[in-house]
Amino acid sequence: MVTSIGADSVKVYTVNGAASGSASSLPDWLTRKRAARGKGKRAVREQVEGSIDLIQHFEFPEASNRIRTTRDGRFAVATGVYKPQMRVYDLHQLTMKFERHSDAENVDFVILSDDWTKTLHLQNDRTIEVHNQSGFLYRTRIPRFGRALAYHFPSCDALVSASGSEVYRLNLDQGRFMNSLQLQSDGEAEIEGVNAIDINPAHQLFTFGLSGTGTAQFWDPRSRTRVGVLQLPSSQLLPPMPTAGTDNAFSITSLASRSDGLSLAVGTSTGHTLLYDLRSMAPFATKDQGYGLPVHCLTWIEGGSQMAGDGLVVSADKKVVKIWDRNDASSNFASVTPATDVNHVHHVPGSGMLMLANEGISMTSYYIPQLGPAPKWCSFLDNITEEMEDQTVRNVYEDFKFIEKSELSRMGLDHLIGTPALRPYMHGYFMQLKLYDAARMITNPFAYEEHREKLVKEKMDKLSESRIRARKDGPKINKALAERIRREEEREAKKAERKKARQSNGDEDVEMDAEETPAKEKANLLNDSRFKAMFENPEFQVDESSREFGLLNPSTVASKRKTAVEEEDEEASRASSEDILGEKSDSESDSGSEDSSDAGDLDQYNPRTTAKAPRKAYTPMPPGRKAHQPKMVSLRADTAGGGSGSRRGGKDASFGERRQSFGRKSAGQSKSEVWEGAMETSWVPSSNQQDEEGSGRRPRPKSRNGEKYGGTMEKGGRNDDDQEESLRKGRTKRRTGVRSGSKNVFRQMG
């Protein structure tokens, strides 16, 4: 149940349909579409959360035209579209009793009996239909399109007004049309039609509201003659400047007589309601609806001592329903602004409930406790409203925007301060939402585009969140430790999945394990909040190069550390590559050929302590310099003597020639001096051998242009510089006039 509070603190409870002052209801076509798709499950409710539906199925597929309650107060009869139909509601059961379809849309209807069994309907196809309990009973036609319908109980005459100056009389007792009432105009204006008919409940006086002349005529039903004419002050009610494109003809649109027999309410096409005493030609009260729309519904609220609102008048146009005191028309007792256009308003006699037929799907019902008690068939509403007195309720500022004075100045609306358009509240003002939107669009024409871009951005953000994202990197601190812990968790999870799969396959061993109670999630360093700083604070970074880490994790350090042999091989390969590319600096070559006094020191060459030199990047060969070319092996070994001896010992001799020359014993050579594929190593004492012997130090070998390895060991020692260079560095020039050794050549030699 939704509550709205009026300006005079009158609470209006919405018990059916959309709430009063609500501008957030969905369009009817969208409601029907979603209701059809969801088949009732996904139907969109027009009411806000917490509202109640007092009467079930209190609606029509498209819109409702008229609604009235029977005189016994047990039923409510309503007409609507589409398709054109009539629905009867059992108020004691709070649900629909039945529905009955017709061929044409209903314009107006009256209830002839105390219950719903006999009704008379005026249709928009110039037909009049009589319905009874079994259904459609009788149909007849009138010459013109009807506008209003009334029933005179003493004579059983149904009065039907239409376009033109004629009012038709259909006698339901005799079942035939009687002589119609011919209305005559006293002025120059012609009668365009009769818009409203009223029968006074006290003395049965007929009152007809005319269109075109702006007058009301009174007729006596006994003599069927006119007894008076009421001329309305049209000059005071019409706007000074006619609105272009609208019908500015003044006419009477609704009439309502009070039960005292003297008071008459007249509604006009200009949106005014005038209250008259039949003994006077001047109105004693005038009420303006404020919208300039025709007043199509007027009702006197009566009920004696049990009605707190006795003497009030209900006037309604298409936009608003106003309840006001007949003695003070300047203020409203209550004002209700429905969510959809109003077609008809019916006040349940002796209660504070109003029923509205409107252009929406759901018909609306409002309960106003200060207007009167709840009807007997829904007396529980009084208990509900009493419980809601202390709760937060909805106020009339639902469709208003609160703005501060600075924002009002920025929008250029300072001139509205002090006018009804702004309602002061605290440090600002309440402004109608429509007016605020219009002013904002004028001051900022790009507001819609900015709002659209914001919506698109929000939509894209939602879509990006729904996409599958790549796995985020782990913590930056102790990343290796976190990765190791994560791998262990994945291993345990896979193991559990395999165990579960085996269990589902019926493995007996696994079934025995499954009987055990499942353990909770295993705690580790990653999900334990006590060790959170270990992966966030840089001070907790583990130094894997420290001695403590090596002692605690010897296998990890050993796998990462290189051995001395690997480091020595890497250093040698780097030095040889530098020599081949010719990128070794002169300082390095000079330092290698100098004689050092520390050549025999064992600590001179220690691969563990020597710092690794940075590897030089490859540089292309400078122009004009020939690249190193490989020397080819001769096609056949030269086994002849004489002139080939020099070749065997030279640098161009093959490995077989050198071996043969080393293995042949010549004159003057001892057997021990013959080389059999081996290298001779000579130990030469240094020049200061006596000084070293005297001091007790071990003599050092004299350098003979060889490479020192430390510990009196050196490589080389031969006098042949070419051969020493060839042995130490290999061939530096390509042999000419020979072919390279291949598999086919060696096969021919065999």
Side-chain angles (χ1 to χ4, degrees):
M1 181 182 296
V2 181
T3 310
S4 61
I5 303 178
D8 297 331
S9 300
V10 176
K11 295 183 179 180
V12 180
Y13 295 91
T14 304
V15 294
N16 268 108
S20 171
S22 173
S24 59
S25 59
L26 296 175
D28 296 339
W29 63 268
L30 183 58
T31 304
R32 293 194 302 271
K33 182 178 180 181
R34 294 190 178 181
R37 284 184 177 180
K39 298 181 180 180
K41 296 181 180 180
R42 298 179 57 189
V44 179
R45 299 178 60 187
E46 293 187 80
Q47 301 88 348
V48 297
E49 187 176 358
S51 62
I52 65 172
D53 291 334
L54 181 63
I55 304 174
Q56 301 299 317
H57 305 289
F58 198 62
E59 59 184 16
F60 280 89
E62 187 72 27
S64 51
N65 298 327
R66 293 288 188 274
I67 182 171
R68 288 185 175 91
T69 57
T70 58
R71 284 188 290 274
D72 60 5
R74 291 195 55 182
F75 303 96
V77 182
T79 58
V81 291
Y82 185 81
K83 301 179 178 179
Q85 54 188 292
M86 176 187 70
R87 292 187 176 184
V88 177
Y89 296 90
D90 190 344
L91 300 180
H92 285 196
Q93 301 297 327
L94 300 177
T95 187
M96 184 176 65
K97 186 177 181 65
F98 70 90
E99 61 181 2
R100 183 182 297 166
H101 293 263
S102 59
D103 296 336
E105 185 176 349
N106 183 259
V107 176
D108 198 1
F109 75 93
V110 292
I111 302 175
L112 304 178
S113 60
D114 291 340
D115 55 6
W116 59 271
T117 54
K118 296 178 182 179
T119 55
L120 182 67
H121 298 266
L122 174 63
Q123 308 294 91
N124 65 350
D125 60 347
R126 297 186 299 152
T127 61
I128 300 174
E129 294 183 356
V130 180
H131 290 248
N132 61 2
Q133 187 174 3
S134 61
F136 168 75
L137 179 64
Y138 178 75
R139 179 187 293 118
T140 185
R141 293 176 67 91
I142 56 177
R144 295 175 180 270
F145 289 96
R147 295 189 179 183
L149 179 65
Y151 183 71
H152 186 231
F153 284 92
S155 63
C156 296
D157 285 344
L159 304 178
V160 183
S161 65
S163 58
S165 60
E166 198 171 4
V167 177
Y168 305 101
R169 291 195 306 132
L170 175 63
N171 190 276
L172 299 182
D173 184 23
Q174 302 180 23
R176 65 187 181 93
F177 280 99
M178 312 300 290
N179 292 332
S180 60
L181 304 178
Q182 298 290 336
L183 307 183
Q184 300 295 331
S185 176
D186 296 335
E188 298 179 356
E190 296 182 358
I191 299 175
E192 298 179 358
V194 180
N195 295 331
I197 302 176
D198 177 73
I199 300 176
N200 196 298
H203 43 70
Q204 305 298 316
L205 184 66
F206 295 166
T207 306
F208 303 105
L210 306 183
S211 174
T213 61
T215 60
Q217 295 188 11
F218 301 95
W219 286 65
D220 188 354
R222 296 169 294 181
S223 62
R224 292 182 295 279
T225 58
R226 190 179 74 179
V227 295
V229 177
L230 178 63
Q231 184 71 39
L232 271 67
S234 58
S235 59
Q236 300 177 8
L237 302 179
L238 286 173
M241 297 296 294
T243 305
T246 60
D247 185 9
N248 294 282
F250 184 77
S251 60
I252 297 175
T253 55
S254 60
L255 295 169
S257 296
R258 196 181 179 194
S259 59
D260 61 358
L262 296 176
S263 300
L264 177 67
V266 180
T268 66
S269 59
T270 59
H272 295 83
T273 302
L274 292 83
L275 301 183
Y276 283 92
D277 190 329
L278 296 181
R279 297 167 294 185
S280 175
M281 295 295 293
F284 65 87
T286 303
K287 180 68 174 178
D288 186 5
Q289 292 291 110
Y291 287 94
L293 301 174
V295 179
H296 54 65
C297 241
L298 288 173
T299 305
W300 292 86
I301 298 179
E302 298 176 316
S305 59
Q306 65 175 353
M307 288 293 295
D310 190 19
L312 298 179
V313 181
V314 179
S315 59
D317 58 10
K318 187 170 63 175
K319 293 295 184 183
V320 64
V321 179
K322 292 187 177 182
I323 305 174
W324 44 283
D325 191 353
R326 60 175 181 168
N327 298 320
D328 185 12
S330 60
S331 61
N332 295 328
F333 173 79
S335 179
V336 180
T337 305
T340 53
D341 294 344
V342 181
N343 293 329
H344 187 250
V345 177
H346 174 72
H347 171 250
V348 179
S351 69
M353 180 170 289
L354 297 176
M355 293 184 177
L356 276 67
N358 48 45
E359 289 295 327
I361 293 178
S362 297
M363 291 185 291
T364 314
S365 299
Y366 298 109
Y367 174 53
I368 307 175
Q370 296 181 8
L371 184 64
K376 294 182 180 179
W377 47 271
C378 59
S379 59
F380 56 86
L381 288 179
D382 291 330
N383 299 331
I384 295 176
T385 54
E386 289 177 1
E387 294 176 358
M388 296 178 62
E389 289 295 331
D390 298 333
Q391 298 179 4
T392 303
V393 295
R394 188 174 177 177
N395 52 37
V396 295
Y397 298 113
E398 180 69 23
D399 292 335
F400 283 77
K401 174 70 175 178
F402 178 80
I403 58 176
E404 297 180 355
K405 190 173 182 179
S406 58
E407 185 178 359
L408 195 67
S409 303
R410 187 167 57 254
M411 297 174 66
L413 300 178
D414 296 337
H415 60 281
L416 296 179
I417 297 177
T419 62
L422 297 178
R423 301 183 182 182
Y425 182 78
M426 296 179 66
H427 61 283
Y429 301 90
F430 273 108
M431 176 189 293
Q432 290 186 0
L433 189 59
K434 293 182 179 179
L435 178 60
Y436 174 79
D437 292 339
R440 187 179 60 174
M441 288 299 297
I442 294 174
T443 55
N444 186 11
F446 303 100
Y448 173 74
E449 297 181 1
E450 295 175 357
H451 178 66
R452 183 178 180 181
E453 292 178 358
K454 182 180 179 181
L455 293 179
V456 172
K457 185 178 181 301
E458 292 177 356
K459 185 177 180 180
M460 295 302 295
D461 293 342
K462 290 182 180 179
L463 292 176
S464 62
E465 291 177 359
S466 62
R467 295 192 184 99
I468 300 176
R469 298 179 178 273
R471 183 176 179 179
K472 296 182 179 179
D473 296 337
K476 297 182 180 180
I477 308 300
N478 294 326
K479 190 174 183 179
L481 177 61
E483 185 66 24
R484 185 166 64 253
I485 295 174
R486 190 179 296 110
R487 286 197 301 267
E488 292 178 358
E489 289 182 351
E490 294 176 356
R491 194 181 303 111
E492 292 294 336
K494 292 180 181 179
K495 185 177 179 181
E497 291 178 359
R498 289 195 299 267
K499 184 176 180 180
K500 187 176 181 180
R502 290 171 56 195
Q503 181 181 358
S504 60
N505 294 334
D507 197 336
E508 297 179 357
D509 297 338
V510 180
E511 288 178 359
M512 294 176 61
D513 297 340
E515 295 177 358
E516 301 176 359
T517 57
K520 297 183 179 179
E521 184 180 358
K522 192 174 181 180
N524 53 37
L525 296 179
L526 292 177
N527 55 27
D528 197 336
S529 59
R530 296 174 298 175
F531 303 97
K532 184 179 180 180
M534 185 175 181
F535 301 97
E536 296 179 356
N537 194 347
E539 296 181 358
F540 291 94
Q541 176 67 44
V542 177
D543 187 8
E544 298 184 0
S545 62
S546 63
R547 183 173 178 273
E548 290 78 4
F549 182 82
L551 294 176
L552 295 175
N553 303 275
S555 59
T556 305
V557 176
S559 62
K560 295 182 179 180
R561 184 177 297 174
K562 295 181 180 180
T563 61
V565 178
E566 293 176 350
E567 294 180 356
E568 183 179 352
D569 293 342
E570 184 179 356
E571 187 71 22
S573 61
R574 186 183 299 111
S576 61
S577 62
E578 292 176 356
D579 293 342
I580 293 175
L581 295 175
E583 296 178 352
K584 192 170 183 180
S585 60
D586 298 339
S587 61
E588 293 178 355
S589 60
D590 295 341
S591 62
S593 60
E594 290 180 354
D595 186 10
S596 175
S597 60
D598 298 334
D601 194 354
L602 293 175
D603 296 334
Q604 179 183 1
Y605 182 79
N606 189 357
R608 298 181 184 272
T609 58
T610 305
K612 296 182 180 180
R615 190 168 184 177
K616 297 181 180 180
Y618 172 75
T619 55
M621 185 67 64
R625 183 174 179 179
K626 296 182 179 180
H628 296 281
Q629 299 295 336
K631 297 298 183 178
M632 301 301 176
V633 182
S634 60
L635 183 60
R636 294 180 181 277
D638 190 3
T639 57
S644 63
S646 61
R647 175 179 162 86
R648 293 172 183 168
K651 61 181 180 180
D652 295 334
S654 64
F655 178 75
E657 295 175 352
R658 295 183 182 182
R659 188 174 182 279
Q660 291 178 3
S661 62
F662 292 152
R664 185 180 298 108
K665 182 180 179 181
S666 59
Q669 284 186 333
S670 61
K671 185 176 182 180
S672 60
E673 295 178 355
V674 178
W675 288 18
E676 282 291 332
M679 182 180 293
E680 180 182 0
T681 304
S682 60
W683 304 87
V684 182
S686 60
S687 58
N688 53 355
Q689 182 177 3
Q690 296 178 358
D691 298 336
E692 292 181 359
E693 289 178 355
S695 60
R697 296 177 60 185
R698 186 174 181 180
R700 298 181 180 179
K702 184 178 180 182
S703 176
R704 300 181 59 188
N705 297 330
E707 294 183 4
K708 300 179 178 59
Y709 287 91
T712 68
M713 298 180 64
E714 64 177 355
K715 180 180 179 182
R718 297 181 62 90
N719 296 329
D720 194 348
D721 295 337
D722 296 338
Q723 186 170 356
E724 180 182 359
E725 185 69 18
S726 176
L727 292 175
R728 189 164 60 89
K729 294 186 177 180
R731 293 188 297 272
T732 58
K733 296 181 180 180
R734 182 177 181 180
R735 295 192 182 98
T736 57
V738 294
R739 292 182 58 189
S740 61
S742 63
K743 185 185 296 183
N744 295 334
V745 174
F746 286 112
R747 287 178 180 175
Q748 294 176 4
M749 292 174 60

